[in-house]
Amino acid sequence: MEKLVIEGGIPLEGEVVISGAKNAVLPLLAATLLADGNMTIRNVPRLRDVNTTVKLLQGMGVTVGVDDDNNITTNTETINSYVAPYDLVKTMRASILVLGPTLARYGEVEVSLPGGCAIGSRPVNIHLSGLEAMGADITVHEGFIRAKAERLQGARIVMDKVTVTGTENLLMAAVLAEGTTILENAACEPEVTDLANCLNKMGASIIGAGTPTIVIQGVDRLQGVDYTVLPDRIETGTFLAAAAITGGRVRALKAAPDTLDAVLQKFRDAGAKIEIGEDWIELDMRGRTLKSVDITTDPYPGFPTDMQAQLMAMNCCAQGIGVVVETIFENRMMHVAELIRMGANIRLEGNTAIVAGMPTIYGAPVMATDLRASASLIMAGLVAQGKTIVDRIYHTDRGYEKIEVRLQKLGAQIKRIS
Ligand code: UD1
């Protein structure tokens, strides 16, 4: 199994080009199931989750081409199966995103029921009840969701909780439904807006994406288009946090500054100097004191749960006490025990972590438990005294493209070993 070995203590310095957003490209690839003709997605990050989605589409019979720049072209003319098997769904819960578009276009679909995952139980009840409200006949049997519908009907759906992939699934179902669908309490994440922009380019009629009320007028068909994925705000935030924790200066290029307001405010509160251009963000921590910040995760535009672990790592080495409250997932504090192994001073009470910053943390062998937890351990390793070995970095590869190569370019002493 591969590991990352990090020698800490070097302030990061330089520029990093941000990849396309993982959480945007997965729904966009699912949306290709709705397209007549060829559809091309550009700025696709080289990630395990993208490979899994490509396998899923190919398993359904979709023709998928990937060029040298990792642009992905699909054609659904060859589709011959409407099944998302357990083998793929168990490695990537976002496989559930094929449910809405496949049902809407082909009238039937079977998706293995995603189980719990490391960060929580993560049910899909809101995806299912929304599709039922649109007239789908759904059964859950022997670990599979089976859905059928002649043609979905527009409906007003009030979602019980804000769910990102739930909103995306219902959006992709509603675009081909008969009549008008109104999604209330919809997720406002930029990745939902990116999906809606792409669907509109394909011929859909969606207004209100990026707000809690999305109105979709169903259409009969959608055309394949050429679409470029928006920059990854979580990757951007992670590299900037790495600059902050090491007391360095990093400029993130090809970023989307307007998707990171809550995170950038926390960096400023932590004492960093932030400069913003049209498509870049620079964080400068040189000669400044890192201060602890309080964080409560919330749906967008609140502070993202996907940045919680990285900011927790920052707090471990900052001046003062920071309180970190996780409100989205019930079990997203597993990095705490690993950070404590590195000398961090954290008290965990349920989903609240009280972090007292330490002048020094120390390298240690640690284990990544999920994608963002792995990022927080890498960041802690970058500032720790001595050697950190991060195990189970297959989690990291799900969401960060060649992270060690890009950190090396910023001066970090980090390498991948088998
Ligand atoms: C997406 C992101 C993930 C991010 C999360 C929250 C993708 C591929 N993944 O995950 O990186 O951490 O949003 O921003 O975009 N819930 C229910 N019933 C449902 C659906 C969700 O109770 O039917 C609950 C979940 O258990 C969780 C909360 O709603 O407590 C939010 O989850 P959700 O937004 O659905 O997360 P994902 O879309 O899976």
Side-chain angles (χ1 to χ4, degrees):
M1 218 183 291
E2 291 186 327
K3 299 173 190 187
L4 289 175
V5 180
I6 309 164
E7 290 283 350
I10 301 169
L12 298 192
E13 180 88 42
E15 294 181 337
V16 58
V17 178
I18 299 305
S19 311
K22 170 179 91 73
N23 286 354
V25 76
L26 303 181
L28 288 169
L29 286 170
T32 65
L33 287 163
L34 295 162
D36 275 352
N38 282 351
M39 171 123 179
T40 300
I41 311 281
R42 300 183 189 276
N43 198 28
V44 177
R46 290 179 165 84
L47 301 174
R48 253 190 30 177
D49 277 8
V50 169
N51 299 341
T52 306
T53 310
V54 166
K55 266 192 220 153
L56 180 56
L57 293 175
Q58 285 172 331
M60 295 170 77
V62 177
T63 306
V64 185
V66 184
D67 73 13
D68 291 346
D69 293 327
N70 212 36
N71 299 315
I72 297 183
T73 298
T74 62
N75 191 304
T76 51
E77 259 166 46
T78 46
I79 196 162
N80 54 24
S81 152
Y82 310 123
V83 180
Y86 177 65
D87 276 358
L88 294 178
V89 179
K90 77 174 181 202
T91 61
M92 189 190 68
R93 298 177 46 83
S95 309
I96 191 76
L97 284 164
V98 301
L99 185 68
T102 311
L103 178 64
R105 183 154 185 224
Y106 302 99
E108 58 178 295
V109 63
E110 280 185 33
V111 179
S112 170
L113 190 65
C117 76
I119 63 175
S121 64
R122 299 181 83 172
V124 291
N125 56 310
I126 300 167
H127 304 232
L128 303 189
S129 59
L131 292 174
E132 274 174 338
M134 295 168 80
D137 179 12
I138 297 184
T139 54
V140 180
H141 188 56
E142 294 172 336
F144 267 87
I145 303 162
R146 294 193 171 85
K148 283 197 163 133
E150 283 286 304
R151 183 170 182 191
L152 293 171
Q153 301 295 311
R156 179 167 176 271
I157 300 166
V158 183
M159 283 177 277
D160 210 27
K161 256 183 151 179
V162 177
T163 157
V164 177
T165 49
T167 302
E168 291 163 345
N169 239 333
L170 298 182
L171 191 55
M172 288 188 279
V175 285
L176 287 185
E178 191 168 7
T180 306
T181 300
I182 303 173
L183 300 179
E184 301 278 14
N185 199 25
C188 303
E189 268 67 2
E191 294 76 19
V192 174
T193 311
D194 205 42
L195 172 65
N197 289 343
C198 177
L199 292 168
N200 278 340
K201 194 170 179 191
M202 293 164 75
S205 170
I206 303 166
I207 55 171
T211 77
T213 303
I214 305 179
V215 181
I216 305 119
Q217 191 67 50
V219 296
D220 289 337
R221 55 167 38 87
L222 295 168
Q223 276 302 318
V225 294
D226 202 299
Y227 195 78
T228 301
V229 182
L230 98 161
D232 197 310
R233 63 195 164 100
I234 304 302
E235 188 187 81
T236 308
T238 303
F239 278 109
L240 296 180
I245 201 169
T246 59
R249 182 202 65 91
V250 167
R251 184 176 284 206
L253 305 174
K254 291 197 182 173
D258 57 348
T259 61
L260 273 147
D261 289 330
V263 176
L264 296 182
Q265 190 49 47
K266 289 297 169 193
F267 287 140
R268 289 189 193 97
D269 295 347
K273 182 175 158 210
I274 301 284
E275 272 190 81
I276 293 175
E278 202 180 316
D279 67 348
W280 56 265
I281 309 171
E282 182 176 293
L283 184 147
D284 192 351
M285 201 68 208
R286 291 170 306 175
R288 293 163 171 261
T289 302
L290 188 63
K291 290 176 278 184
S292 291
V293 285
D294 292 339
I295 295 154
T296 300
T297 61
D298 257 324
Y300 192 85
F303 187 90
T305 174
D306 287 351
M307 280 300 298
Q308 179 257 102
Q310 299 88 316
L311 270 278
M312 172 105 69
M314 267 171 59
N315 273 346
C316 290
C317 316
Q319 200 174 72
I321 291 178
V323 178
V324 180
V325 184
E326 172 60 49
T327 71
I328 309 289
F329 292 112
E330 68 264 31
N331 194 24
R332 205 171 202 179
M333 288 286 183
M334 282 170 303
H335 41 289
V336 167
E338 299 300 303
L339 290 168
I340 289 173
R341 300 194 67 248
M342 300 178 72
N345 184 346
I346 308 174
R347 196 169 87 229
L348 195 55
E349 288 180 4
N351 271 340
T352 299
I354 300 133
V355 189
M358 302 296 283
T360 313
I361 59 171
Y362 300 93
V366 286
M367 188 107 79
T369 47
D370 65 72
L371 168 57
R372 305 305 169 185
S374 77
S376 80
L377 298 176
I378 293 169
M379 291 178 36
L382 289 172
V383 70
Q385 194 174 310
K387 187 192 280 185
T388 298
I389 301 172
V390 185
D391 201 350
R392 301 206 177 160
I393 54 163
Y394 53 85
H395 290 295
T396 321
D397 295 333
R398 282 191 45 220
Y400 294 95
E401 183 177 333
K402 295 190 184 140
I403 193 158
E404 75 282 10
V405 176
R406 294 155 87 200
L407 287 169
Q408 279 161 8
K409 285 194 184 136
L410 296 171
Q413 281 221 18
I414 178 170
K415 64 179 184 208
R416 185 181 288 255
I417 58 163
S418 302

